[in-house]
Amino acid sequence: MASIASLGSGSGMDLNGLIDKLMTAEKAPLQTLLLKEASYQAKISAYGSVKSALAAFQTSLKGLSSVQTFRSTTATLADSSIATVNSNSLAQPGSYSLEVSQLAQNQKLTSNAFSSINTGLGTGTITLQFGTVDSHGTDATGDDTFTANAKKAAFSIDITDKNNSLAGVRDAINLANKGVSASILNDGTGSRLVLTSKDSGAENSIKLTVTDSDGNSTDTAGLSALAYDPAGTRNLIETQAAKDAKFKIDGINVSKPTNSVSDAIQGLTINLTKVSSPTSTGATTLAPTTITIGADLSGLKDSIKGFIKAYNELNKTLKDVSSYTPGNATTSAKAAPLNGDSAIRAIQNQMRSVVNEMQGEGSYFKSLSDIGVSFTGYQTDAKGTIVGGATPKGDLSLNEAKLQAAISSHPGDVANLFTVNGVASSNQITFLSGSLATQSGKYAIEVTTPATQAKYSGSALSFFKVDSSNNTKNVTLGGVSASLTLDNNDYTTESLAAQIKSKIEADSTLFTSGSDTVKVEYNKLNKNFDISRERVVAGTPPTTQKDSMALAISSAPKPITIDDNNKTLMVSVDGVISQPVTLSKGSYATMADLAAEMQSKINSDESLVRGGKTVGVAFNESTSKFDLSSGLYGSTSKIKITGVGDAATSTTAATLGIVVGGYSDTPSGPTVGYTYTAGADVEGLIGGEKAKGTGQSLTGTGASEGLSLIVTASTAGDYGSVSFNRGVAFALDKLLDGMVKDRTGLVAKQTDGVNASIAQLAEKRVRMNRQYDATEALYRKQFTAMDIAIATMRNTSSNLTAQLANLPK
């Protein structure tokens, strides 16, 4: 059989070239596939550009969706030496007069001089407490009283033989870091311990109680050398008294514990620096200065221009990746990678819809077009979809004259178009937030059940003391007066009302048996007893005469004494149990003073502090009871008395009316000496639909879904309305969230779809190349056989020719 050295050598033909041409024809579909794959890759790149542009626009919206961005204000003070002023978005334009008569200051206490910072001071316990000192208008200190600051917890420090030096006490106080700083001053005569209240204000005066291990806690020997009780032993020297800042705003007296005041005028912070100068030499009146607050209109306009610029930059990217340029005689038509892409159209339409969205009831401006911001190049319907035949350019444009007029007249309402904003008509309703599901509009607010705290009320105490100093009272009813003498005794509010009633009914000039009705009630607001009488007057027909008066009864001094038998109690607050709480022993002038002491000491308990739990303690004069309440509102609020000292000797119940008991596992009612009221979540309606209540938080459903409010109202009733607007910037931000998320966003889904198509094309390309390889191999096999056959025939031809030539002629 003939053989060939290479394909085509047998036949003399260019068979390799012929196979290449045949394979080129065979691979024509592959070229189409590669072009399609390249177009898909271009789409992936274009989607990447779109995602980057969307993310950049969303970043710019973060600041725009904040109300502070749009509602900037400026504040100035005519006399800047008196104070500095700063305003925020909540400040309202206007002017106010300011007159400063006293600056706030911290209290400073100094010890006597010691020979060295290492001087031993003895051992024991130091308890520091904050409160207000009342001098009763005299220079003498003997009548001064101290009322604990119920909002600040007391704290104790153990002084042992390891830290009982002057330096050791200083370091122990500073390590506690509870509102008092300590330092040592050497004045040339010796070293003095200096204590400074970290917070200024009259209610932050310091009381330092010592339990000295030498048995005497008031002398100047041992640790008691540091004792300082404004109403008792004063072994420290007050070098600077705690004072409130006192000033007038528009002639109204204002007192604040600090020189930095941010709650006198909403949105304005005043930093007091100096007392106002007198109007003239020797004058007692002070010269006022003027605070002026104005709207920063330039900042508002710049923010809106920034929004338009950011929107148009995004729109340019969307147009570039989806554009189409028709061909002409010299150029071919050109389509961008995402021309005709449904996702791009969806992004454009959804964004236009948000920008064109009408604001709900309660908004002064209903749309951006009302302030001069509008689209150019086409008309849209209510949903933002392009209609008509105009070229869809889609950029935002600004009518600056229209915007300026809107800003000048209603700057706050301009800001509302862009920002999430809820405005409550009642100061007992506070807007917290809204969601994308919350529809813009004005929602009526009705509170059916206010949120409450769990409350423990002890038994009634006889806190009214009636004796010869206050037992004679004049009562006048219907023009008739009588002098009544009350029985000397200690009374509860209820029993004193009953005593007054019985004395009136026993006086024949004031009361006629059988025809008169007398009622006596304590008025906790005015702190007096309201007396009312109804009398039937003879006649045809008989008439009813009604008379009333208010009777003031000032209680004689009746100090409450706390000693070893009634100084301790334990409480459980929202499931956290305190350690034994020890009240300061001594005589308390009023029930209010004792309530402040109880609250301060309970709230300083380490277990409750770690658990973030607090209580409120108040003496309710209407019921004559101490009320203890959890600081938490709602159904999870709980409070319970778990201990009252040594059960065998404790007189806590008699002194405070407090016995063990409270929530869940104990009964409630007068028979056990206390009452317990569970906390309740707020309940109510937002926009006429039942809302969800948790604590003081009320969250809307239906049209107001996602609208979250804080309700501080203490009674049921209608509380006006809340006007809610999502704002364009907020709505766009939330819309973009659904577009740029990595896996679930619109762009990600589109990209995933294209990537899937590319993967399918790649698999098809592999299959086609395998088929082409097989086809080429078949061609080569067939052409090789043909080449060999031709070579064989040529050899045969050559042999025959040679043989014929050799035949005899």
Side-chain angles (χ1 to χ4, degrees):
M1 181 178 178
S3 62
I4 57 174
S6 61
L7 185 63
S9 62
S11 63
M13 299 171 62
D14 183 11
L15 296 181
N16 282 317
L18 181 58
I19 291 174
D20 288 342
K21 291 179 180 179
L22 289 172
M23 289 310 300
T24 297
E26 289 280 353
K27 290 182 178 181
L30 179 62
Q31 296 305 313
T32 302
L33 183 145
L34 291 174
L35 290 173
K36 193 170 186 180
E37 187 173 3
S39 72
Y40 282 151
Q41 293 290 355
K43 285 188 176 184
I44 292 294
S45 178
Y47 279 130
S49 299
V50 170
K51 185 174 182 180
S52 296
L54 290 172
F57 181 52
Q58 187 178 32
T59 299
S60 72
L61 290 174
K62 297 296 184 184
L64 294 172
S65 60
S66 169
V67 69
Q68 281 77 15
T69 301
F70 288 96
R71 293 185 178 177
S72 54
T73 58
T74 59
T76 57
L77 189 64
D79 184 355
S80 59
S81 69
I82 301 300
T84 60
V85 290
N86 295 289
S87 61
N88 61 31
S89 62
L90 298 177
Q92 298 299 314
S95 61
Y96 308 85
S97 68
L98 174 66
E99 177 186 321
V100 183
S101 58
Q102 176 176 291
L103 295 178
Q105 62 185 29
N106 313 64
Q107 186 187 36
K108 290 183 179 290
L109 300 175
T110 305
S111 71
N112 290 320
F114 293 88
S115 60
S116 166
I117 65 172
N118 297 315
T119 299
L121 297 177
T123 59
T125 302
I126 296 175
T127 300
L128 293 101
Q129 193 168 15
F130 302 94
T132 303
V133 178
D134 187 350
S135 65
H136 298 286
T138 68
D139 293 331
T141 61
D143 62 347
D144 289 359
T145 57
F146 178 84
T147 301
N149 181 346
K151 296 177 290 185
K152 277 197 171 183
F155 64 99
S156 297
I157 298 172
D158 292 329
I159 303 300
T160 68
D161 55 6
K162 295 181 179 180
N163 64 349
N164 66 340
S165 65
L166 199 65
V169 172
R170 174 200 63 191
D171 294 343
I173 291 174
N174 289 335
L175 183 62
N177 193 26
K178 293 290 184 67
V180 176
S181 64
S183 60
I184 294 176
L185 172 68
N186 190 320
D187 64 355
T189 65
S191 296
R192 298 174 184 268
L193 181 69
V194 180
L195 302 180
T196 304
S197 173
K198 290 183 179 180
D199 294 328
S200 60
E203 64 181 1
N204 291 307
S205 296
I206 302 170
K207 176 182 178 181
L208 195 151
T209 305
V210 173
T211 303
D212 200 330
S213 57
D214 67 8
N216 190 331
S217 299
T218 58
D219 64 4
T220 56
L223 194 61
S224 54
L226 303 180
Y228 184 83
D229 182 354
T233 302
R234 297 188 180 191
N235 291 337
L236 297 178
I237 303 165
E238 183 181 62
T239 58
Q240 179 172 294
K243 291 182 179 180
D244 288 333
K246 293 185 178 180
F247 52 99
K248 290 182 179 180
I249 294 179
D250 286 348
I252 300 173
N253 288 315
V254 182
S255 179
K256 297 292 180 180
T258 71
N259 292 316
S260 181
V261 181
S262 59
D263 57 354
I265 300 174
Q266 187 180 34
L268 182 72
T269 298
I270 307 172
N271 295 299
L272 305 174
T273 55
K274 192 181 76 171
V275 172
S276 298
S277 302
T279 53
S280 61
T281 304
T284 58
T285 57
L286 301 177
T289 186
T290 302
I291 301 170
T292 303
I293 302 174
D296 184 4
L297 302 184
S298 62
L300 179 53
K301 182 182 289 185
D302 288 344
S303 296
I304 294 173
K305 286 183 175 180
F307 166 77
I308 294 173
K309 181 176 182 291
Y311 185 95
N312 288 344
E313 286 176 351
L314 171 60
N315 189 51
K316 181 179 183 303
T317 298
L318 296 176
K319 290 188 296 181
D320 287 346
V321 298
S322 61
S323 64
Y324 176 79
T325 304
N328 53 36
T330 58
T331 61
S332 301
K334 184 177 179 181
L338 299 180
N339 175 251
D341 187 271
S342 61
I344 299 302
R345 288 197 302 272
I347 292 172
Q348 291 172 320
N349 286 335
Q350 289 175 36
M351 289 180 58
R352 283 193 291 267
S353 178
V354 170
V355 172
N356 283 329
E357 183 178 4
M358 300 295 289
Q359 300 298 309
E361 185 181 357
S363 175
Y364 184 84
F365 296 113
K366 296 300 182 183
S367 68
L368 291 185
S369 62
D370 289 344
I371 63 169
V373 179
S374 60
F375 286 107
T376 60
Y378 62 88
Q379 299 293 321
T380 62
D381 60 20
K383 295 182 178 180
T385 303
I386 301 171
V387 297
T391 302
K393 186 177 180 182
D395 280 354
L396 285 175
S397 64
L398 176 64
N399 183 327
E400 292 204 31
K402 193 172 184 180
L403 175 61
Q404 184 61 53
I407 290 175
S408 299
S409 61
H410 297 87
D413 294 303
V414 172
N416 285 348
L417 285 174
F418 291 87
T419 65
V420 177
N421 192 47
V423 179
S425 61
S426 169
N427 59 9
Q428 296 183 74
I429 307 295
T430 302
F431 167 76
L432 279 185
S433 62
S435 73
L436 194 59
T438 312
Q439 297 179 22
S440 297
K442 187 174 184 180
Y443 298 96
I445 307 300
E446 180 183 352
V447 177
T448 54
T449 302
T452 58
Q453 301 153 289
K455 185 173 74 173
Y456 172 102
S457 297
S459 55
L461 299 173
S462 300
F463 76 102
F464 268 110
K465 183 178 180 64
V466 175
D467 59 16
S468 58
S469 67
N470 64 348
N471 63 358
T472 302
K473 297 295 175 183
N474 288 322
V475 175
T476 301
L477 293 171
V480 177
S481 298
S483 178
L484 305 180
T485 301
L486 305 178
D487 296 342
N488 294 340
N489 206 342
D490 293 337
Y491 294 92
T492 65
T493 304
E494 184 179 355
S495 64
L496 184 52
Q499 167 73 183
I500 297 170
K501 182 174 183 292
S502 68
K503 293 298 183 180
I504 293 174
E505 292 177 341
D507 189 288
S508 59
T509 62
L510 299 175
F511 184 82
T512 302
S513 178
S515 64
D516 292 355
T517 301
V518 175
K519 189 176 182 179
V520 181
E521 292 180 326
Y522 182 72
N523 187 321
K524 66 179 180 180
L525 181 63
N526 298 321
K527 297 188 181 301
N528 55 34
F529 288 87
D530 291 335
I531 302 172
S532 60
R533 183 192 66 182
E534 289 190 6
R535 168 173 288 180
V536 177
V537 180
T540 305
T543 59
T544 300
Q545 177 181 324
K546 296 182 179 181
D547 305 300
S548 63
M549 70 165 291
L551 180 65
I553 298 182
S554 57
S555 176
K558 184 178 181 291
I560 304 97
T561 300
I562 297 296
D563 54 27
D564 288 332
N565 292 322
N566 58 9
K567 68 179 182 179
T568 61
L569 69 155
M570 291 176 64
V571 298
S572 174
V573 185
D574 307 332
V576 177
I577 301 175
S578 76
Q579 301 174 29
V581 175
T582 302
L583 305 179
S584 298
K585 294 189 292 185
S587 179
Y588 293 82
T590 66
M591 293 290 190
D593 290 348
L594 186 51
E597 167 73 8
M598 291 168 63
Q599 178 171 317
S600 174
K601 290 297 178 65
I602 292 173
N603 287 338
S604 68
D605 176 77
E606 292 183 3
S607 297
L608 297 180
V609 170
R610 281 196 303 269
K613 305 301 180 183
T614 60
V615 302
V617 182
F619 186 75
N620 188 333
E621 293 184 353
S622 295
T623 61
S624 303
K625 298 177 180 181
F626 278 106
D627 293 335
L628 284 74
S629 58
S630 164
L632 182 69
Y633 280 83
S635 56
T636 58
S637 174
K638 298 177 181 179
I639 191 164
K640 180 180 182 179
I641 305 298
T642 58
V644 287
D646 187 344
T649 60
S650 176
T651 58
T652 305
T655 308
L656 306 178
I658 292 177
V659 297
V660 172
Y663 66 88
S664 71
D665 58 348
T666 50
S668 175
T671 58
V672 292
Y674 71 90
T675 55
Y676 172 75
T677 307
D681 295 320
V682 64
E683 295 181 6
L685 306 177
I686 298 180
E689 298 181 89
K690 185 174 177 59
K692 302 172 184 176
T694 303
Q696 291 182 299
S697 174
L698 198 62
T699 304
T701 59
S704 65
E705 181 180 352
L707 179 62
S708 183
L709 311 172
I710 292 294
V711 179
T712 57
S714 58
T715 58
D718 293 329
Y719 286 87
S721 62
V722 171
S723 296
F724 174 77
N725 293 306
R726 283 184 298 164
V728 171
F730 172 82
L732 283 173
D733 182 30
K734 295 304 178 185
L735 175 65
L736 292 175
D737 272 344
M739 295 180 178
V740 300
K741 284 183 179 178
D742 287 341
R743 290 188 174 182
T744 60
L746 175 63
V747 176
K749 289 180 178 178
Q750 292 296 114
T751 304
D752 288 345
V754 176
N755 279 327
S757 296
I758 292 174
Q760 290 175 357
L761 290 177
E763 292 177 0
K764 187 175 182 180
R765 175 162 43 83
V766 170
R767 291 195 303 270
M768 291 176 70
N769 281 326
R770 288 175 181 169
Q771 181 63 39
Y772 293 146
D773 290 343
T775 300
E776 184 175 356
L778 179 60
Y779 281 154
R780 290 190 178 279
K781 182 179 179 181
Q782 290 173 339
F783 277 98
T784 299
M786 180 191 73
D787 206 23
I788 292 172
I790 293 174
T792 301
M793 292 175 66
R794 281 184 173 179
N795 286 338
T796 301
S797 175
S798 296
N799 289 335
L800 288 174
T801 301
Q803 290 175 9
L804 289 174
N806 292 328
L807 288 176
K809 297 182 180 178

